[in-house]
Amino acid sequence: MTNTPITKEEIMAVYPKIAEIIAAALPCEIEKVKPEASLIDDLGAQSIDFLDIIFRIERAFKVKIPRGKIIEEARGDLSAAEFDQRGVVSAAGQERLKAFLSEVPPERFPAPLKVADIPRLFTTETFCKMMIRQQRATAATAVSKPA
């Protein structure tokens, strides 16, 4: 997996399709699906909707996104015990999340943050970035495999 920063241009290149997918999955008006919109708090998504959105993104962009990918990538090299202490995200975990979910304003991170509440932070842009990372990973895997 590459650590190359994702540019605004990359995000805006995939945003229209991601917004269309989210609007269709929830369902809601596409005008409400702004890059900064929280899928749960602003658009009314429920946990089952995340599975539908991921499935639709996989089909539209021809990528495979493993379940729990966002949290796994956000955790980075922190162990599960370092990231999550009895269902609450540790201080180190919060710092990782804030860096990884840089599109989420800092004031949206409650303290303490329960692990179960992490999806409340996810925005339309979060899904754009997740898809771009997965495309990069898929391309890197294809390049590294011998023909």
Side-chain angles (χ1 to χ4, degrees):
M1 179 81 49
T2 179
N3 287 332
T4 306
I6 295 172
T7 66
K8 264 300 188 207
E9 292 76 23
E10 286 177 295
I11 292 166
M12 294 318 292
V14 299
Y15 165 72
K17 185 65 181 172
I18 299 287
E20 180 184 306
I21 288 168
I22 290 171
L26 290 183
C28 68
E29 296 170 17
I30 196 157
E31 294 78 27
K32 292 183 179 180
V33 186
K34 306 276 186 228
E36 68 279 2
S38 162
L39 270 64
I40 292 175
D41 294 335
D42 297 331
L43 302 177
Q46 296 180 15
S47 59
I48 192 76
D49 295 319
F50 285 94
L51 296 173
D52 187 24
I53 291 166
I54 295 293
F55 174 74
R56 290 171 187 245
I57 289 171
E58 288 177 334
R59 286 190 55 200
F61 291 95
K62 310 231 181 319
V63 296
K64 182 70 180 140
I65 301 167
R67 191 161 186 208
K69 187 72 172 172
I70 295 174
I71 294 172
E72 175 189 318
E73 288 183 347
R75 198 174 83 208
D77 61 0
L78 288 179
S79 71
E82 291 171 313
F83 184 82
D84 165 7
Q85 297 168 346
R86 289 179 288 185
V88 176
V89 178
S90 68
Q94 279 243 14
E95 289 309 307
R96 284 289 170 91
L97 275 173
K98 286 177 183 177
F100 189 78
L101 299 174
S102 60
E103 68 278 7
V104 179
E107 64 272 10
R108 290 214 19 235
F109 286 84
L113 173 61
K114 294 179 183 172
V115 173
D117 289 337
I118 292 173
R120 295 191 92 76
L121 300 171
F122 298 167
T123 66
T124 304
E125 187 171 329
T126 304
F127 279 81
C128 291
K129 288 170 61 177
M130 175 188 58
M131 199 285 306
I132 292 165
R133 283 188 198 97
Q134 201 58 41
Q135 278 186 324
R136 288 178 178 180
T138 301
T141 301
V143 168
S144 67
K145 284 185 181 175

